[in-house]
Amino acid sequence: MKLFNKLPFLALLALLAFSCTTDSLEDQTVGEEFSLIILEDKSIEVEILELLNEHRSSLGLSPLSDMAIVKSVAYTHTDYMVDNNEVSHANFFKRSEYLKANAGASKVSENVAYGYSSAESVVKAWLNSEGHRATIEGDFTNFDISAEVNAEGRWYYTNIFIKK
């Protein structure tokens, strides 16, 4: 029974562990290479960006604009997570530095997730997490997302936010 009482706390702790800013994470591993990849938006990605901007607008915050270079970097990380079958912020520092050098970003943050099968479910999970919600509601100008599905049908997401 004691373990059952701790499960909500452990679930919340795990959820909060998957939001990242340049101030909170150092480079953990190597392995991602960056180059501009032009990708066609998936409907789930468009829905997520729209839901996030609707949430921001409901709070009187400015909507964020999508940006091809941000999407390309997000895709690189999502592909990395799919290949490694794990959700992580590995190499975040490299993504942040790349966007600062190549997209004019002064600030970078990201949310990652996996396992959610709809735009509504992943956005709801992020908004129910204090750390993820803070990123979504943060002082940013641009964002983009990559959503990829692995061979078992599990979705992985990388949502990157930048301030120019």
Side-chain angles (χ1 to χ4, degrees):
M1 186 64 165
K2 289 182 182 181
L3 178 60
F4 181 74
N5 290 336
K6 293 179 183 178
L7 285 178
F9 173 74
L10 293 174
L12 179 61
L13 183 61
L15 188 60
L16 292 176
F18 292 110
S19 180
C20 187
T21 67
T22 53
D23 299 330
S24 66
L25 187 67
E26 294 298 319
D27 185 26
Q28 294 176 358
T29 63
V30 295
E32 293 181 11
E33 297 292 326
F34 303 112
S35 60
L36 185 60
I37 302 167
I38 305 300
L39 300 158
E40 188 172 324
D41 292 330
K42 296 176 185 70
S43 62
I44 193 169
E45 294 167 336
V46 172
E47 289 176 58
I48 290 168
L49 297 179
E50 288 174 351
L51 289 168
L52 294 176
N53 267 336
E54 286 173 16
H55 175 76
R56 287 179 59 87
S57 293
S58 76
L59 300 173
L61 300 171
S62 299
L64 303 178
S65 299
D66 59 349
M67 193 173 190
I69 192 169
V70 175
K71 181 174 192 65
S72 179
V73 172
Y75 170 78
T76 301
H77 184 59
T78 305
D79 191 49
Y80 170 87
M81 291 191 302
V82 168
D83 286 349
N84 290 283
N85 200 33
E86 68 177 4
V87 64
S88 75
H89 288 289
N91 303 310
F92 174 74
F93 183 75
K94 287 183 179 186
R95 288 188 294 286
S96 175
E97 290 303 309
Y98 180 83
L99 290 168
K100 287 176 181 177
N102 295 283
S106 63
K107 178 179 167 183
V108 180
S109 188
E110 74 180 12
N111 288 339
V112 297
Y114 75 102
Y116 298 95
S117 59
S118 71
E120 294 82 10
S121 63
V122 72
V123 170
K124 183 178 178 181
W126 281 332
L127 292 175
N128 285 330
S129 160
E130 186 177 332
H132 294 97
R133 187 176 61 252
T135 297
I136 292 165
E137 297 172 359
D139 182 22
F140 297 103
T141 55
N142 300 85
F143 68 163
D144 222 313
I145 191 162
S146 171
E148 299 296 326
V149 65
N150 70 6
E152 292 80 33
R154 178 172 283 195
W155 284 92
Y156 286 78
Y157 305 89
T158 303
N159 190 194
I160 298 179
F161 300 77
I162 70 168
K163 179 177 182 172
K164 290 185 77 164

